[in-house]
Amino acid sequence: MSMWKEAAVTEQKVLKRWIEESGNIVFFGGAGVSTESGIPDFRSQDGLYHQEYQYPPETIISHSFYRRNPEEFFRFYRNKMMISDAKPNGAHLALARLEQTGKLKAVITQNIDGLHQMAGSREVLELHGSIHRNYCERCKTFYGPEAVTQVQGVPKCGCGGTIKPDVVLYEEGLDQKTLRKAVEYIRQADVLIVGGTSLVVYPAAGLIDYYEGSKLVLINKSETGRDSQADLVIREPIGQVFESLGI
């Protein structure tokens, strides 16, 4: 066994021990949690979207672009963000089992795919909303995903208002109630596991600053700017890490 693999095994043993000893774990995850389920992280794509779209993803899924060019927004949104056939991976399933045992108190996610709920997690704080919810901007009636997927162009409510995805676009603020709840969970956690995120998107990335414990775990395939603050760093695919723990 190489030194690198030995180190990885040792780190995972530490993580497993911390999980076994804790009764107050909080998980905070990003796009990397869902990539093993086949949902791409558009930041890691090398020109994939530029072949079909005239604008970068960050521009298309911004509030101003949504207002200025809703037809193109919905074309991109349907094609690239509403991935309906994805299934939970080892990380989603393990986290749901940890919640069932009472050890995990909450999942805080930047993802909008709903895979944590599909896996069985119940206390899921969706910082950026969900592709499974939509609402009329005029009368506030809520709709399921079919309101967007089963129509062409800009979806409209019976009242004539535009049906907007219940997701947080660039230039829009996070829901303050959800944010405050996330802060409280993190502040009270014994173990905080952060996975599948490079911790560059604010204000979500700043949430770990509220952690007051001594067992901050960062699981990400690449280095993050917060690695030096962590008590344990594991640079492997998060689904594989949780599967290896045998939770």
Side-chain angles (χ1 to χ4, degrees), residues 5-209:
K5 287 185 177 180
E6 286 179 355
V9 169
T10 300
E11 290 159 355
Q12 290 175 21
K13 284 182 177 178
V14 173
L15 175 58
K16 185 171 184 177
R17 176 166 54 83
W18 285 0
I19 290 173
E20 289 173 345
E21 295 173 351
S22 176
N24 189 348
I25 303 168
V26 170
F27 179 81
F28 172 45
V33 178
S34 294
T35 52
E36 289 169 81
S37 293
I39 297 180
D41 175 4
F42 63 72
R43 290 185 190 83
S44 66
Q45 302 303 304
D46 185 16
L48 175 63
Y49 299 127
H50 296 93
Q51 297 171 12
E52 186 179 349
Y53 300 93
Q54 296 180 356
Y55 307 91
E58 291 88 345
T59 297
I60 297 176
I61 57 174
S62 67
H63 179 83
S64 56
F65 189 91
Y66 167 75
R67 292 296 182 205
R68 186 172 67 251
N69 195 343
E71 292 84 2
E72 186 69 358
F73 168 86
F74 278 104
R75 185 169 79 94
F76 178 90
Y77 184 77
R78 290 187 185 98
N79 292 343
K80 298 301 183 183
M81 300 185 73
M82 297 196 74
I83 300 176
S84 60
D85 57 352
K87 303 297 182 186
N89 61 50
H92 298 107
L93 296 169
L95 290 165
R97 289 192 292 269
L98 278 175
E99 183 185 44
Q100 290 164 9
T101 66
K103 287 181 171 291
L104 183 74
K105 301 307 179 185
V107 168
I108 301 165
T109 181
Q110 298 176 79
N111 298 336
I112 60 175
D113 49 51
L115 290 180
H116 285 292
Q117 291 93 328
M118 194 182 300
S121 290
R122 307 184 80 171
E123 184 65 358
V124 181
L125 305 186
E126 296 173 310
L127 296 175
H128 295 155
S130 172
I131 61 170
H132 300 286
R133 298 189 304 269
N134 305 274
Y135 66 94
C136 172
E137 293 188 285
R138 179 180 293 177
C139 71
K140 307 306 179 185
T141 298
F142 268 83
Y143 290 88
E146 64 281 351
V148 174
T149 58
Q150 296 180 7
V151 298
Q152 298 293 321
V154 180
K156 293 292 185 177
C157 175
C159 76
T162 298
I163 297 174
K164 182 181 184 294
D166 191 17
V167 298
V168 178
L169 305 178
Y170 284 102
E171 304 167 354
E172 293 180 342
L174 302 188
D175 178 76
Q176 291 302 302
K177 183 178 178 181
T178 303
L179 202 56
R180 285 194 297 271
K181 199 171 182 181
V183 167
E184 284 308 304
Y185 272 121
I186 288 174
R187 183 176 281 141
Q188 296 171 18
D190 174 32
V191 177
L192 175 61
I193 303 174
V194 180
T197 174
S198 54
L199 294 171
V200 296
V201 178
Y202 283 79
L207 284 174
I208 68 170
D209 293 331

